[in-house]
């Protein structure tokens, strides 16, 4: 039987890039991501520089980051970056790692945002939603808020890189907006904490390392969604849309809340996994 290439970790000193990649202990894609990150090589350079010898300092750093990953640390936190809507975004353990299903919310908002209109992203975290929308639509006036100063710092860095026009506000949901007067938005979008307290997923995989207050409301999963829906009419323009991401089993409950608060055209949309992942509706138009 031909002997399979076996992982040999921690890495020995003075390996070349190709040997190191063969011996790396994770799946091939993750091996490449971590080696590119530490050596500062593109995916192509991993191939074109496959004979390059890895220095002692680089080997020590590689052993550290591979061990972090073997201990469960999300790869996005190790490399400090995750792509969302085609944009490389800075991330840290202060913010949720942007997820592909959240791109649905961005698409829904882009389809409903009139030219030159205003949009509010509530609980922006890394800034993913606000930055993706503002990057696509430089005409829009995008405001993003979060209660976490650490999150706002990351979000501002992402805006600076991709969509410098985004305005930021530190706010516990609508609180600071109420103080600031009566700005109204054409679209409000949010991906709030919606996991039920004690859900087993909170203790599994990447979620163990993510900011718990961004994942769960520490309650029935609907409390942040309730606050956002209840306050939206005071902060939307006539005809304005409220668009919300929610959990796989929350669509009916969110639609009921939207109905109860007078929204029209209340509906849910499925993500790429065919799960009802976002719901929304709009206020009645004036006149
Ligand atoms: N979609 C995330 C997850 O289930 C949760 C994000 C959130 O609570 N907003 O992993």
């Amino acid at each position: 039987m031909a002997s399979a290439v076996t992982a040999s970790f921690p890495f020995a000193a003075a390996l070349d890039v190709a040997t190191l990649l063969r011996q790396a202990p994770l799946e091939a894609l993750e091996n490449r991501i971590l080696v590119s990150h530490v050596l500062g090589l593109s995916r192509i350079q991993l191939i074109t520089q496959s004979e390059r010898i890895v220095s002692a300092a680089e080997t020590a750093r590689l052993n550290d980051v591979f061990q972090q990953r073997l201990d469960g640390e999300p790869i996005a936190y190790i490399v400090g970056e995750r792509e969302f809507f085609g944009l490389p975004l800075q991330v840290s353990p202060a913010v949720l790692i942007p997820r592909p299903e959240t791109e649905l919310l961005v698409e829904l908002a882009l389809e409903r945002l009139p030219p030159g209109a205003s949009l509010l992203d509530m609980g922006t975290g890394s800034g993913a939603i606000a930055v993706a929308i503002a990057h696509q639509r430089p005409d829009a006036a995008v405001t993003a808020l979060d209660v976490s100063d650490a999150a706002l710092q990351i979000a501002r860095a992402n805006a600076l890189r991709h969509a410098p026009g985004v305005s930021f506000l530190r706010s516990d949901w609508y609180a600071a907006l109420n103080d600031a007067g009566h700005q109204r938005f054409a679209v409000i979008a949010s991906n709030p904490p919606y996991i039920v307290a004690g859900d087993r997923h909170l203790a599994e995989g990447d979620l163990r390392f993510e900011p718990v207050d961004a994942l769960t409301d520490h309650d029935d999963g609907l409390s942040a969604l309730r606050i956002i829906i209840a306050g939206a009419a005071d902060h939307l323009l006539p005809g304005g849309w409220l668009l919300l991401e929610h959990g796989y089993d929350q669509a009916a409950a969110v639609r009921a809340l939207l109905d109860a608060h007078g929204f029209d055209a209340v509906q849910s949309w499925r993500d790429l996994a065919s799960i009802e992942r976002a719901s929304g509706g709009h206020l009645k138009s004036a006149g």
Side-chain angles (χ1 to χ4, degrees), residues 69-156:
R69 182 65 189 132
L70 289 167
D71 292 341
E73 181 83 20
I75 202 150
Y77 290 156
I78 296 174
V79 304
E81 195 167 281
R82 171 56 49 92
E83 190 172 295
F84 180 79
F85 221 81
L87 302 173
L89 297 183
Q90 183 184 326
V91 296
S92 83
V95 298
L96 276 197
I97 299 164
R99 290 168 168 59
E101 56 266 32
T102 303
E103 295 183 347
L104 171 63
L105 202 66
V106 172
E107 283 164 1
L108 293 168
L110 288 170
E111 288 162 9
R112 287 164 182 77
L113 192 61
S118 58
L119 176 140
L120 173 65
D121 173 15
M122 302 188 72
T124 195
S126 66
I129 294 169
V131 170
I133 291 169
H135 180 261
Q136 291 287 312
R137 291 284 302 277
D139 59 289
V142 176
T143 302
L145 62 80
D146 206 286
V147 74
S148 158
D149 283 315
L152 285 171
Q153 207 175 321
I154 302 278
R156 278 182 210 277

Side-chain angles (χ1 to χ4, degrees), residues 1 38 77 80 124 129 139 149 172 186 193 218 223 229 257 264 276:
M1 189 177 114
V38 170
Y77 290 156
T124 195
I129 294 169
D139 59 289
D149 283 315
D172 184 3
H218 308 281
S223 58
I229 293 169
L257 287 166
D264 271 352
E276 285 186 320

Side-chain angles (χ1 to χ4, degrees), residues 194-210 212 215-216 219 248-249:
Y194 54 66
I195 298 178
V196 179
D199 186 300
R200 68 178 169 81
H201 294 100
L202 294 168
E204 291 174 5
D206 284 4
L207 277 67
R208 291 170 295 164
F209 294 82
E210 294 186 289
V212 68
L215 290 166
T216 176
D219 196 347
Y248 69 96
D249 57 355

Side-chain angles (χ1 to χ4, degrees), residues 140-287:
V142 176
T143 302
L145 62 80
D146 206 286
V147 74
S148 158
D149 283 315
L152 285 171
Q153 207 175 321
I154 302 278
R156 278 182 210 277
N158 284 322
L160 205 59
R161 180 165 173 197
H162 299 297
V166 177
S167 306
F168 291 95
L169 188 64
R170 185 183 173 282
S171 182
D172 184 3
W173 302 127
Y174 295 105
L177 288 172
N178 293 334
D179 297 347
H182 274 85
Q183 192 189 352
R184 287 176 181 268
F185 301 88
V187 177
I188 297 178
S190 184
N191 173 22
Y194 54 66
I195 298 178
V196 179
D199 186 300
R200 68 178 169 81
H201 294 100
L202 294 168
E204 291 174 5
D206 284 4
L207 277 67
R208 291 170 295 164
F209 294 82
E210 294 186 289
V212 68
D213 295 340
L215 290 166
T216 176
D217 61 352
H218 308 281
D219 196 347
D220 66 352
L222 292 168
S223 58
L225 289 158
R226 272 188 212 99
I227 292 169
I228 294 167
I229 293 169
D234 284 340
H235 299 279
L236 281 169
L237 292 163
W241 279 88
L242 176 59
L243 298 166
L244 300 164
E245 180 173 319
H246 51 66
Y248 69 96
D249 57 355
Q250 293 172 328
V254 172
R255 288 195 303 269
L257 287 166
L258 289 163
D259 284 331
H261 285 86
F263 282 87
D264 271 352
V266 170
Q267 57 201 291
S268 299
W269 296 272
R270 291 179 190 275
D271 64 17
L272 293 173
S274 240
I275 293 166
E276 285 186 320
R277 178 58 67 187
S279 297
H282 64 78
L283 293 182
K284 291 180 178 56
S285 303

